[in-house]
């Protein structure tokens, strides 16, 4: 249990060097589902069906032992409830199969984390999807008006939408070449971007791009048509055919927050449009003018490029888009005058409720970071530093023994180099651990709320990273038998041992970390939503229990 307290206390590995092979070969992503995992998924589906949750799709994701689950869309209120139940089912069924489901957004550094995709659309009470562009979107005036309304809503309240996905674990994931960046933008695809540019430049859209032929380079294969809307997995809010997909939500979070924001900010713009159109002497001309106005004024929120590119952040700053890299940076969006006016005007939240939410989120952040920092200190003090001291002692004794036996004629330069390197890193780790300890103590001097959260973000988190660096280096040189923690390498090795008897597994191999990410598709009469892990985060993580299984299950 001691060696995996990091997973038990925090849900993620606070230390751990990368093994020689990670996810770079995509062999897990494109491989078949292991029989043991398939049996687990089958029972998950059955448990979901018992509760009326129609789960349909499951497959491997990018990271080792990472998988995706996608239920059928449902009305948003129902979908949000189902989403919560599914997370509980995933954990409950995992324990029956000798595994543990870990829904942390970033359980392991170096491989993809976990999240949800929220597929959101608007439908009328008689089932008409307002986000269906049809075959000729440039002629679909209703669609163009709804689309530009949403662009305006997202542009004006990008900070609120970013805050709706703010989570301690998400800070580890967003922008990490596996999830969207922390800057809100909208992806429309080639077809709609072209229509938008026509509206901005000429005031009228006269044509729509068609899908082109996909060149496979293989003559024996039939021709495929490339979708004109395309896909962009680096975008946080992407139009995908007849819906928008919000890809920022963390794997542990409720999908309610982002849908509350999306519904409310869209309702605000719809209200503005209705007020203007109801007073317009020429309805059709007023609609045309509104579409052109919104398309022109809010074109800056549209970005179809690579969200991972370092140039994008500079470009976003130039456009005036909010850049909120952390949860602490995003929380203030809840209590701005703009946000208070928005939510109060639709009787969603009062000022007091928004301030309460902000205060609670600051407290959650501070407490989570405090637990992680204390866990790192505990592990460094009781496990890592003593292990390295034992290693350097044995190494030193070995050097003296070899020197004596060889009467000074045997070269021990390799052992000496190892001893010097280990001692240097040991000193660095101890120094970083002492600094982190002092900062954790100092945390209590700051008032609960924003001040403490900011201190944790600006001081404690960098100190945690500074401690991890020498420890991960030490893991690469210290004797494996002396190293106190389960190596991250086990994640890769044990997962590929499809059939093994957990009762005969030795203690160092007692757990297999199974990344379980998770996905879901819900929808409302006015909206459709899909929760799925972002860019390789669809199930979560499940740890396969072995010798210490009872301890893990009880954690």
């Amino acid at each position: 249990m001691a060696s995996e307290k990091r997973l038990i206390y925090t849900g993620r590995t606070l230390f751990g060097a990368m093994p020689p092979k990670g996810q770079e070969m995509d062999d897990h992503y494109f491989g078949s589902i292991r029989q043991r995992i398939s049996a687990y998924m089958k029972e998950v589906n059955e448990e979901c069906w018992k509760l009326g949750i129609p789960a349909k799709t499951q497959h491997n994701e990018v990271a080792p032992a990472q998988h995706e689950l996608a239920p059928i869309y449902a009305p948003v209120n129902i979908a949000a409830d189902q989403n919560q139940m599914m997370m509980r089912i995933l954990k409950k069924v995992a324990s029956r199969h000798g595994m543990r489901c870990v829904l942390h957004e970033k359980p392991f550094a170096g491989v993809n984390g976990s999240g949800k995709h929220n597929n959101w659309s608007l439908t009328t009470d008689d089932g008409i999807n307002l986000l269906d562009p049809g075959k000729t979107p440039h002629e679909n005036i209703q669609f163009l008006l709804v689309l530009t309304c949403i662009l305006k809503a997202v542009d004006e309240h990008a900070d609120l939408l970013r805050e709706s996905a703010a989570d301690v674990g998400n800070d580890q994931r967003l922008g990490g070449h596996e999830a969207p960046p922390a800057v809100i933008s909208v992806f429309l695809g080639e077809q709609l971007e072209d229509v938008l540019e026509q509206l901005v430049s000429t005031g009228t859209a006269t044509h729509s791009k068609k899908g082109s032929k996909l060149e496979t380079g293989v003559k024996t294969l039939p021709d495929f048509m490339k979708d004109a809307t395309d896909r962009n997995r680096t975008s946080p809010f992407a139009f995908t055919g007849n819906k928008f997909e919000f890809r920022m939500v963390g794997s542990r979070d409720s999908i309610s927050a982002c849908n509350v924001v999306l519904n409310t900010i869209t309702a605000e713009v719809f209200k503005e449009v209705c007020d203007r159109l109801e007073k317009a002497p020429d309805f059709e001309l007023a609609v045309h003018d509104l579409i052109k106005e919104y398309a022109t004024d809010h074109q800056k929120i549209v970005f179809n490029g690579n969200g991972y590119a370092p140039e994008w952040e500079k470009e976003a700053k130039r456009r005036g888009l909010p850049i909120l890299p952390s949860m602490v940076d995003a929380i203030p969006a809840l209590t701005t005058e703009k946000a208070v006016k928005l939510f109060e005007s639709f009787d969603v939240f009062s000022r007091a409720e928004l301030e309460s939410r902000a205060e609670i989120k600051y407290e959650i952040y501070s407490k989570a970071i405090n637990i992680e920092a204390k866990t790192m200190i505990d592990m460094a003090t009781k496990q890592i530093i003593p292990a390295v001291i034992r290693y350097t002692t044995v190494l030193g004794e070995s050097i003296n023994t070899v020197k004596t036996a060889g009467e000074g004629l045997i070269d021990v330069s390799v052992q000496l180099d190892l001893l010097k390197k280990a001692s240097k890193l040991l000193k660095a780790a101890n120094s970083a651990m002492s600094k982190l300890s002092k900062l954790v103590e100092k945390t209590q001097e700051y008032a609960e709320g924003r001040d403490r959260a900011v201190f944790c973000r600006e001081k404690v988190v960098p100190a945690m990273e500074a401690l991890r660096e020498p420890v991960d280096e030490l893991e690469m040189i210290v004797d494996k038998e002396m190293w106190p923690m389960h190596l991250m390498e086990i994640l890769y090795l044990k997962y590929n041992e499809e059939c093994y008897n957990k009762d005969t597994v030795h203690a160092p191999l007692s757990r297999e970390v199974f990344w379980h990410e998770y996905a879901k598709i819900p929808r409302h009469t006015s909206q459709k939503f899909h929760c799925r892990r972002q860019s390789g985060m669809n199930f979560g993580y499940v740890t396969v229990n072995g010798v210490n299984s009872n301890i893990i299950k009880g954690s």
Side-chain angles (χ1 to χ4, degrees):
M1 178 192 73
S3 60
E4 289 305 333
K5 61 175 65 178
R6 51 189 174 160
L7 284 175
I8 295 171
Y9 294 158
T10 69
R12 73 183 184 102
T13 52
L14 302 166
F15 300 107
M18 281 296 294
K21 180 178 182 292
Q23 62 186 36
E24 59 271 16
M25 298 300 292
D26 292 324
D27 46 346
H28 181 259
Y29 193 26
F30 294 106
S32 60
I33 299 176
R34 299 291 193 273
Q35 290 182 8
R36 188 174 184 186
I37 304 308
S38 181
Y40 164 72
M41 290 180 173
K42 180 176 182 294
E43 188 171 348
V44 166
N45 281 336
E46 290 171 353
E47 291 295 323
C48 287
W49 297 336
K50 289 176 185 177
L51 296 175
I53 304 172
K56 176 183 179 182
T57 305
Q58 55 270 319
H59 60 76
N60 291 347
E61 261 298 339
V62 176
Q66 188 175 42
H67 303 269
E68 176 179 338
L69 173 63
I72 303 298
Y73 62 83
V76 67
N77 290 340
I78 295 174
D81 289 344
Q82 289 179 345
N83 191 280
Q84 295 298 111
M85 290 189 288
M86 288 189 75
M87 288 191 285
R88 175 58 187 156
I89 290 170
L90 291 171
K91 287 177 172 287
K92 181 176 66 175
V93 175
S95 66
R96 295 177 190 164
H97 288 253
M99 298 185 287
R100 178 176 172 86
C101 175
V102 182
L103 291 175
H104 192 284
E105 285 75 15
K106 191 73 171 177
F108 297 90
V111 287
N112 285 4
S114 302
K116 300 172 183 175
H117 284 189
N118 189 86
N119 281 297
W120 176 86
S121 66
L122 298 166
T123 60
T124 63
D125 54 1
D126 54 354
I128 298 174
N129 185 355
L130 299 178
L131 284 175
D132 185 358
K135 294 183 178 179
T136 53
H138 65 284
E139 297 176 344
N140 191 335
I141 301 302
Q142 177 178 277
F143 167 74
L144 291 176
L145 180 60
V146 172
L147 177 67
T148 52
C149 283
I150 292 172
L151 293 183
K152 174 180 169 66
V154 173
D155 185 23
E156 292 183 345
H157 297 286
D159 56 345
L160 265 182
L161 192 55
R162 165 66 182 94
E163 193 286 325
S164 71
D167 176 83
V168 186
N170 240 6
D171 284 1
Q172 306 286 329
R173 182 178 73 95
L174 295 179
H177 288 254
E178 64 189 80
V183 182
I184 294 289
S185 64
V186 178
F187 170 81
L188 293 180
E190 295 177 5
Q191 185 183 58
L192 293 184
E193 184 183 30
D194 178 62
V195 170
L196 192 70
E197 287 176 354
Q198 291 178 58
L199 289 170
V200 172
S201 59
T202 68
T204 305
T206 58
H207 63 274
S208 300
K209 281 187 176 181
K210 302 296 182 183
S212 58
K213 191 176 295 184
L214 182 65
E215 298 292 338
T216 64
V218 182
K219 294 181 180 180
T220 55
L221 291 179
D223 293 332
F224 295 97
M225 295 302 294
K226 181 182 176 182
D227 192 335
T229 62
D230 205 357
R231 296 289 302 275
N232 185 339
R233 293 187 174 277
T234 72
S235 174
F237 195 66
F239 184 78
T240 54
N242 61 0
K243 64 188 185 304
F244 277 99
E245 188 172 32
F246 184 52
R247 296 167 172 158
M248 270 192 172
V249 185
S251 50
R252 294 175 296 179
D253 287 347
S254 166
I255 51 89
S256 298
C258 66
N259 286 300
V260 166
V261 170
L262 284 170
N263 286 344
T264 310
I265 63 178
T266 304
E268 181 187 48
V269 182
F270 281 0
K271 180 178 182 297
E272 178 185 315
V273 168
C274 288
D275 290 344
R276 289 178 60 173
L277 292 180
E278 286 169 358
K279 298 174 184 177
D282 187 331
F283 182 84
E284 291 187 5
L285 180 61
V287 170
H288 173 273
D289 291 345
L290 269 175
I291 292 173
K292 184 178 187 304
E293 176 188 331
Y294 288 174
T296 304
D297 292 349
H298 303 286
Q299 190 180 21
K300 65 177 183 178
I301 197 68
V302 177
F303 178 67
N304 288 342
N306 180 8
Y308 297 156
E311 297 80 17
W312 166 231
E313 187 171 325
K314 296 177 183 177
E315 172 62 18
K317 188 174 182 180
R318 187 191 67 78
R319 295 187 186 190
L321 303 180
I323 300 174
L324 307 169
S326 78
M327 179 179 179
V328 175
D329 298 320
I331 294 172
L334 281 173
T335 53
T336 62
E337 288 302 316
K338 179 179 67 172
V340 172
K341 180 182 177 183
L342 168 74
F343 287 120
E344 286 191 337
S345 64
F346 290 95
D347 294 325
V348 177
F349 298 123
S350 66
R351 180 186 294 273
E353 287 171 328
L354 289 169
E355 290 173 349
S356 250
R357 284 173 172 260
E359 193 70 18
I360 290 168
K361 289 202 166 191
Y362 283 130
E363 188 176 344
I364 287 171
Y365 183 88
S366 301
K367 287 182 175 179
I369 296 300
N370 189 55
I371 290 169
E372 289 188 353
K374 284 185 174 181
T375 303
M376 292 184 80
I377 293 167
D378 184 79
M379 293 175 70
T381 306
K382 299 177 182 178
Q383 298 175 256
I384 297 166
I385 290 176
V388 180
I389 290 173
R390 285 195 299 273
Y391 173 70
T392 53
T393 301
V394 170
L395 196 55
E397 291 173 351
S398 172
I399 292 170
N400 290 332
T401 301
V402 173
K403 278 184 175 180
T404 302
E407 298 179 349
L409 299 176
I410 299 177
D411 183 8
V412 291
S413 59
V414 174
Q415 295 95 312
L416 282 170
D417 287 344
L418 279 173
L419 181 59
K420 289 176 183 178
K421 185 175 182 180
S423 297
K424 183 180 178 181
L425 290 170
L426 175 62
K427 182 179 179 180
N430 187 64
S431 175
M433 187 267 294
S434 299
K435 181 179 178 181
L436 181 58
S437 298
K438 291 175 183 177
L439 288 172
V440 169
E441 290 176 7
K442 192 174 180 181
T443 301
Q444 304 306 314
E445 298 175 12
Y446 289 82
E448 286 188 355
R450 178 165 176 78
D451 289 347
R452 185 176 293 184
V454 169
F455 179 78
C456 287
R457 175 72 183 95
E458 295 181 353
K459 300 295 182 182
V460 178
V461 170
M464 291 165 61
E465 293 169 354
L467 174 56
R468 177 169 188 161
E469 185 177 347
V471 170
D472 286 357
E473 286 190 56
L474 281 165
E475 182 180 341
M476 300 304 292
I477 61 174
V478 173
D479 188 329
K480 181 178 179 180
E481 298 303 320
M482 295 183 181
W483 194 249
M485 298 175 291
H486 295 281
L487 303 177
M488 285 183 66
E489 188 174 358
I490 294 171
L491 166 66
Y492 304 87
L493 297 181
K494 289 309 299 173
Y495 179 71
N496 286 295
E497 293 180 17
E498 170 123 10
C499 301
Y500 73 96
N501 184 349
K502 69 177 183 179
D503 296 326
T504 62
V505 173
H506 296 297
L509 302 180
S510 62
R511 298 191 183 95
E512 158 188 346
V513 183
F514 164 105
W515 233 327
H516 175 137
E517 232 254 18
Y518 136 0
K520 161 151 197 145
I521 313 175
R523 141 161 135 198
H524 191 46
T525 343
S526 65
Q527 128 178 38
K528 149 165 132 189
F529 135 84
H530 158 95
C531 255
R532 152 184 191 264
R533 166 186 118 80
Q534 160 71 23
S535 291
M537 3 173 251
N538 295 18
F539 241 44
Y541 286 90
V542 175
T543 8
V544 174
N545 303 330
V547 176
N548 296 322
S549 61
N550 291 331
I551 296 173
I552 304 234
K553 290 178 183 175
S555 64

